[in-house]
């Protein structure tokens, strides 16, 4: 089964002379419980593909599925609900609310969805990301690495169908980056979380069990671990 899927997706920005085909017939399956990295040069369509797969952007042609729902053609209200219920995000810039504590940030998506956190799972997530003594701190009192751990906990605690991570280590030193990648990988291996990560960094991609390479809006290659570990 797949957590999400793109089928022959085209994305064309602009019109007439200014047209840019950011995606040209991209098909990818995001297998449940897999950690997929999307790599490729700047401008190759990585962000566009992630936005289309996450239901943040509409496609020009083709289909996107999240879980067993056909996203293409859904209205805004349904799309918002689908994202809220099924998708988690981790960003390069952490995107935490500065006035909330770490714990409040972590629980925010659940409160917005009107869902109660599962106590045991919450405790487990806090342990996975190692934030036990920092829960009452605000983002400004945390290091970049700690802030990104809060963002990861926020994505994990809702147990979404898919987590989309856009350059999650782009603002971290290599040690904090390795920590974050380590528990993303553990959440896949030990808890069956599905993760898709866009990255420029081959070292970051080596934590994934599959790497999809884009160039000029097309899938050019796909590597599976342990091949990926060896090549990158
Ligand atoms: P990447 O994430 O690999 O750097 P992007 O998906 O951001 O690539 O961009 C792919 C192509 O689409 C680029 O040529 C970029 O300039 C273009 N593009 C992306 N977003 C837009 C947009 N909103 N309007 C017009 N062109 C865009
Ligand atoms: P990334 O490094 O993640 O690819 P970019 O800096 O390329 O991000 O783009 C940032 C934002 O601007 C994205 O939301 C992207 O869709 C949009 N964008 C990128 N290229 C263009 C463009 N040529 N015209 C308009 N928007 C663009």
């Amino acid at each position: 089964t797949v957590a999400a899927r793109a089928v022959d997706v085209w994305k064309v920005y602009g019109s007439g002379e200014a047209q840019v085909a950011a995606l040209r017939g991209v098909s990818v399956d995001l297998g449940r419980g897999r950690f997929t990295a999307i790599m490729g040069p700047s401008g190759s369509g990585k962000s566009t593909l992630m936005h289309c797969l996450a239901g943040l952007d509409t496609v020009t042609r083709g289909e996107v599925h999240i879980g067993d729902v056909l996203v293409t053609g859904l209205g805004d209200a349904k799309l918002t609900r689908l994202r809220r219920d099924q998708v988690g995000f981790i960003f390069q810039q952490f995107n935490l609310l500065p006035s909330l504590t770490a714990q409040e940030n972590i629980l925010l998506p659940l409160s917005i969805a009107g869902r109660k956190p599962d106590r045991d799972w919450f405790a487990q997530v806090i342990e996975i990301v190692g934030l036990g003594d920092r829960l009452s701190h605000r983002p400004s009192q945390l290091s970049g690495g700690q802030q990104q751990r809060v963002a990861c906990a926020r994505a994990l605690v809702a147990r979404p169908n898919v987590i989309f991570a856009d350059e999650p280590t782009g603002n971290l030193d290599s040690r904090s980056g390795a920590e974050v990648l380590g528990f993303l990988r553990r959440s896949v291996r030990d808890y069956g979380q599905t993760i898709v990560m866009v990255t420029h960094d081959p070292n970051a991609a080596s934590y994934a069990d599959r790497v999809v390479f884009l160039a000029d809006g097309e899938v050019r290659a796909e590597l599976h671990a342990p091949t990926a570990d060896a090549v990158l």
Side-chain angles (χ1 to χ4, degrees):
T1 70
V2 295
R5 160 180 287 166
V7 185
D8 194 21
V9 164
W10 287 73
K11 178 68 180 181
V12 180
Y13 290 110
S15 58
E17 296 277 290
Q19 247 182 28
V20 177
L23 298 175
R24 306 159 180 263
V26 171
S27 298
V28 274
D29 283 356
L30 305 176
R32 223 174 268 288
R34 308 290 305 274
F35 188 175
T36 302
I38 301 175
M39 297 192 78
S42 189
S44 59
K46 303 183 297 294
S47 303
T48 302
L49 176 59
M50 174 170 279
H51 289 166
C52 288
L53 279 167
L56 287 168
D57 205 348
T58 59
V59 305
T60 308
R61 212 179 93 195
E63 286 180 359
V64 170
H65 304 253
I66 296 179
D68 49 14
V69 179
L70 175 62
V71 173
T72 317
L74 278 189
D76 281 348
K78 283 191 171 154
L79 205 49
T80 303
R81 182 141 31 90
L82 183 72
R83 274 202 307 269
R84 195 185 67 195
D85 294 343
Q86 296 212 27
V87 175
F89 293 97
I90 300 169
F91 304 95
Q92 184 171 355
Q93 310 287 350
F94 321 136
N95 289 24
L96 302 176
L97 290 186
S99 61
L100 301 184
T101 65
Q103 172 155 339
E104 289 164 345
N105 268 290
I106 292 167
L107 293 176
L108 189 64
L110 286 175
S111 7
I112 289 173
R115 285 164 60 194
K116 285 235 183 322
D118 177 301
R119 273 169 181 278
D120 291 344
W121 178 238
F122 177 77
Q124 222 164 324
V125 167
I126 296 309
E127 196 179 307
I128 296 169
V129 301
L131 280 168
D133 53 346
R134 297 280 182 341
L135 287 178
S136 58
H137 289 54
R138 287 178 213 289
S140 61
Q141 300 169 301
L142 299 172
S143 70
Q146 290 166 342
Q147 290 184 58
Q148 194 62 310
R149 293 197 227 167
V150 172
C152 291
R154 176 178 62 184
L156 286 170
V157 79
R159 306 201 107 156
N161 187 18
V162 199
I163 291 177
F164 292 95
D166 195 351
E167 299 279 4
T169 57
N171 272 327
L172 302 180
D173 60 59
S174 58
R175 193 167 137 261
S176 308
E179 281 168 7
V180 162
L181 291 161
F183 61 71
L184 289 181
R185 174 137 112 174
R186 278 200 295 287
S187 74
V188 172
R189 192 192 56 202
D190 298 345
Y191 304 101
Q193 180 62 55
T194 306
I195 299 182
V196 189
M197 169 174 72
V198 165
T199 184
H200 285 98
D201 177 5
N203 180 54
S206 72
Y207 286 75
D209 46 42
R210 178 173 68 144
V211 186
V212 173
F213 291 92
L214 290 184
D216 294 330
E218 294 179 357
V219 175
R220 284 296 160 78
E222 212 181 300
L223 288 177
H224 293 260
T227 332
D229 285 334
V231 172
L232 294 167

